[in-house]
Amino acid sequence: MKCRHCSADLTLPFLDLGSAPPSNAYLTEAALRAPEVWYPLRLLACQSCWLVQTEDHAGREALFTDDYAYFSSFSSSWLAHSQRYVSDMTARFGLHAASLVSEVAANDGYLLQYVQQDGIPCYGIEPTASTAAAARQKGIEIVERFFGVALAEELAAQGRQVDLVAANNVLAHVPDINDFVRGFARLLKPQGVATFEFPHLMRMVQENQFDTAYHEHYSYLSLTAVQRVFSANGLSLFDVEEHQTHGGSLRVFAQRSDTGSHPVKGSVAELLQRELQAGITSPAFYAGFQTKTNRVKDDFCAFLIEAKREGKRVAAYGAAAKGNTLMNYAGVRPDLLAFVVDRNPAKQNKFMPGSRIPIVAEDRLKSDRPDYVVILPWNLRVEVMQQLDYIRAWGGQFVTAVPGLQITR
């Protein structure tokens, strides 16, 4: 396999999770009687540009389907994060009623609704029909296409270049990262700004966040790799911020290399130096992650098996993609974990891909009163524990498996 950015041969292994179905391919009851498609799930690191990437086995159309079930608005903490973003960007870049804002991977309009509320013209770009429809219900204009140079040039020709474009948790999701990034250089006005948020590879390694790996994540990103990808495709970084979302994310600020005039802040050099000191550009940084991953998996399996032997009831909360990675790598099935609760109606009455664990509404927790609730989206642990605090009334306890097994009364 060749690097999807620089085309160098990929020879440095990083993580092997065996095989799994696509993480958001939730099953209907009828689908349980049919075969399921599984793909190898292996990650490698490029020793030329240091982009970490998943082996290519599934095209984007196979992963981001019309019935895509991930809706951003079901997390209150993510909505609050998005509202703060709009407020901060509006103030920092002087956005107003004559500006134009866009979001690539606009999902269900979770972010652009706040832009719209502030009276700033905006439109979203979103290829999945299910989430695009939800955004339109909020009154947001959606261009229902995959983003890249071709679409950006069409929009530019229509006079729809933007002052600000957001791209949250999508840079990792694109198979052709060069075409995707070049599209932003076409979409921006001469002094426009693009922001990207994505989980930070350094945090993934340091905190055993192996369940960030799934087929929809084609890339696993450090600032070192992103700077190289951007500079090769017409964008230059001028600022970076660290956020706690998704277990530790970066928000990078970019401008057109040919016309941008924002001064480069010291935060960029500082974080690049920290990554260098951590070993991002050394094969040693990537060694040993498999061993730590296996330890997390083994500890989680041991907990579930011991709970079963003791006659304890175990359920889970959050039918998240990262949860599917954990379940399938650990080989968990309904005999060890009875059901998964999710607030999203699009997932309820379906089954987790691979593990085939049923997904149910929250009232099932109150009727079944499990002894343990495993929080699969561990990055939302505090939010979920507050929401489900009532399980303590019957002695229920919370469990997280990543970055290490933790049981909370």
Side-chain angles (χ1 to χ4, degrees):
M1 181 177 165
K2 302 287 187 181
C3 174
R4 59 175 41 94
H5 166 57
C6 72
S7 299
D9 289 330
L10 293 177
T11 59
L12 181 60
F14 175 53
L15 181 63
D16 187 342
L17 297 178
S19 62
S23 57
N24 280 300
Y26 298 95
L27 302 170
T28 63
E29 190 163 352
L32 295 179
R33 297 188 290 273
E36 213 174 337
V37 178
W38 290 52
Y39 301 99
L41 184 51
R42 291 190 290 267
L43 280 59
L44 303 106
C46 176
Q47 296 183 75
S48 177
C49 68
W50 300 104
L51 180 66
V52 175
Q53 48 212 281
T54 303
E55 276 187 344
D56 228 340
H57 292 284
R60 62 187 184 182
E61 290 79 8
L63 302 177
F64 302 101
T65 57
D66 286 346
D67 59 351
Y68 189 66
Y70 179 79
F71 289 74
S72 298
S73 293
F74 283 97
S75 169
S76 58
S77 60
W78 182 245
L79 288 176
H81 174 79
S82 304
Q83 189 169 22
R84 284 193 301 271
Y85 167 88
V86 172
S87 177
D88 291 348
M89 296 307 104
T90 299
R92 178 171 179 177
F93 299 114
L95 302 175
H96 48 74
S99 304
L100 185 58
V101 173
S102 185
E103 183 182 18
V104 173
N107 199 265
D108 60 4
Y110 72 97
L111 184 146
L112 290 179
Q113 64 183 335
Y114 301 117
V115 178
Q116 187 173 253
Q117 287 171 15
D118 286 349
I120 301 170
C122 62
Y123 66 91
I125 299 168
E126 172 55 56
T128 64
S130 54
T131 59
R136 291 189 184 106
Q137 288 177 356
K138 295 181 173 76
I140 297 165
E141 180 190 352
I142 295 292
V143 178
E144 198 170 314
R145 298 261 299 277
F146 283 104
F147 182 74
V149 171
L151 177 56
E153 289 182 341
E154 286 181 34
L155 293 167
Q158 297 166 10
R160 309 198 74 189
Q161 286 183 303
V162 297
D163 298 281
L164 174 71
V165 56
N168 290 342
N169 301 310
V170 64
L171 186 59
H173 289 70
V174 294
D176 189 344
I177 196 169
N178 292 323
D179 177 73
F180 185 77
V181 170
R182 277 197 304 274
F184 287 85
R186 307 288 201 281
L187 187 64
L188 288 176
K189 292 179 182 178
Q191 299 303 314
V193 171
T195 68
F196 301 78
E197 293 186 28
F198 48 82
H200 192 191
L201 174 67
M202 190 164 74
R203 293 284 294 273
M204 177 185 180
V205 172
Q206 292 173 343
E207 300 177 20
N208 300 343
Q209 298 172 2
F210 77 93
D211 56 348
T212 301
Y214 42 93
H215 299 103
E216 290 176 20
H217 282 171
Y218 290 90
S219 300
Y220 303 80
L221 301 159
S222 62
L223 189 63
T224 299
V226 166
Q227 184 185 54
R228 296 180 185 187
V229 172
F230 281 18
S231 63
N233 289 290
L235 292 182
S236 61
L237 295 176
F238 66 88
D239 196 7
V240 60
E241 298 172 352
E242 296 177 85
H243 292 268
Q244 292 306 310
T245 52
H246 295 281
S249 295
L250 299 183
R251 176 187 291 163
V252 300
F253 296 74
Q255 59 192 335
R256 284 171 50 172
S257 300
D258 58 345
T259 57
S261 58
H262 293 279
V264 180
K265 291 188 172 289
S267 56
V268 176
E270 188 272 333
L271 185 51
L272 287 171
Q273 181 61 29
R274 279 170 48 206
E275 289 188 346
L276 184 66
Q277 291 173 344
I280 284 281
T281 59
S282 166
F285 178 80
Y286 304 91
F289 190 55
Q290 184 76 50
T291 300
K292 292 191 292 184
T293 292
N294 291 345
R295 187 178 304 121
V296 172
K297 182 252 299 181
D298 292 347
D299 288 347
F300 183 53
C301 287
F303 160 75
L304 290 176
I305 291 169
E306 185 61 26
K308 181 180 180 180
R309 286 173 174 163
E310 293 178 355
K312 302 291 188 181
R313 294 164 297 176
V314 184
Y317 184 91
K322 53 171 50 76
N324 288 322
T325 295
L326 173 64
M327 294 297 177
N328 287 315
Y329 187 51
V332 177
R333 299 295 182 263
D335 65 312
L336 292 176
L337 199 153
F339 58 85
V340 178
V341 167
D342 201 280
R343 296 175 69 185
N344 184 351
K347 295 181 182 180
Q348 292 169 8
N349 301 314
K350 292 185 178 179
F351 298 81
M352 301 277 273
S355 67
R356 303 191 166 202
I357 297 170
I359 305 169
V360 300
E362 189 177 328
D363 55 6
R364 180 76 176 271
L365 281 180
K366 297 175 181 178
S367 63
D368 281 30
R369 297 191 168 199
D371 300 287
Y372 298 103
V373 175
V374 179
I375 302 174
L376 296 178
W378 47 263
N379 52 299
L380 301 177
R381 180 174 177 270
V382 173
E383 176 184 336
V384 172
M385 287 176 62
Q386 291 173 346
Q387 179 187 332
L388 305 183
D389 184 68
Y390 57 81
I391 76 165
R392 292 188 168 101
W394 63 76
Q397 299 179 68
F398 295 102
V399 180
T400 47
V402 178
L405 189 70
Q406 183 175 351
I407 302 174
T408 305
R409 294 185 181 275

